[in-house]
Amino acid sequence: MIPILKKNRKKELILPKHIAIIMDGNGRWAKKKALPRTAGHTFGASNFKTIAKYCSKIGVKYLTVYAFSTENWKRPEEEVNSLMLLFKEYLKEALSDFQDENIRVKVLGDKSAFSEELQELILNVEEASKNKDGMVLNIAMNYGARSEIIRAVKLLVNEVQSGNISIDSITEEMFSKKMYTEDQPDPDLIIRTGGEYRLSNFLLWQSAYSEYVILNVLWPDFKTKDIDDAIEKYSNRNRRFGGI
Ligand code: IPE
Ligand code: IPE
Ligand code: MG
């Protein structure tokens, strides 16, 4: 039982080992308040910090958040620039703030598209937190599940061509290890805020048996209590994995 989640809840809760979140709805949140979309991202980024720390506190082992997709480059330059600025600010903060947190940060996605400064910050944060043994925080940035799968195929083809493995020896486990998530377990629970019923190119391979909780709440309004509620919903699901 997770003590922090005990209050007013009838049933024993099952804590998902790996939670993934599609943090959607920043733009609509800003529009509702007659603010520029970029303001929605600022509030969204601040909320992300609160939620990540909360997940670590309640004992979640892996948290994966979708921060920027390979398709999000299509947005107006001003919006993309402000998102890049927020990533930089967050990573700089993480370098000092995370000294006290037992969180290991990993960035999932193609980092080569980012500015040199941002790439360096990512490396610094990953390096500085690599020995933390608490929660693993995966930040999916310039992440697309289809390109992740193509990347995995290329890595395996390379190994076949260099004679390390044979085509017939390729297994699902080997394929999984070529994903950005490498040795991590698949997400048990995927939460999407903003109310859309789609994956938007997120974790296509890893989500084969994930449980979904889709909420109408916009990301900047998402509270720690919504995590508790999602965990309660998850606890009531009957995961069969194709069995009975
Ligand atoms: C999610 O919020 C953040 C990113 C995709 C970077 P959106 O910006 O997609 O917000 P909506 O969906 O337009 O409201
Ligand atoms: C998914 O949200 C990507 C992130 C939350 C980073 P989008 O807003 O990009 O997804 P669509 O366009 O509604 O599918
Ligand atoms: Mg959106």
Side-chain angles (χ1 to χ4, degrees), residues 22-31 37 40-41 44 66-69 72 75 79 83 87 192-194 196 198 218-220:
I22 302 173
M23 309 184 291
D24 196 22
N26 292 347
R28 279 163 283 169
W29 182 89
K31 195 172 174 202
R37 288 180 59 87
H41 295 313
Y66 204 4
F68 193 86
S69 75
N72 287 148
R75 295 186 177 200
E79 181 167 344
L83 283 163
F87 295 149
R192 180 166 188 148
T193 62
E196 310 290 356
R198 54 177 174 256
L218 302 170
W219 175 251

Side-chain angles (χ1 to χ4, degrees), residues 130-142:
K130 73 173 186 207
N131 292 323
K132 306 270 185 176
D133 59 4
M135 185 178 83
V136 174
L137 171 61
N138 296 311
I139 307 175
M141 273 165 63
N142 192 26

Side-chain angles (χ1 to χ4, degrees), residues 44 46 101 103 122 131 157 162 207:
S46 144
E101 302 276 342
I103 296 176
I122 292 171
N131 292 323
V157 167
S162 60
S207 66

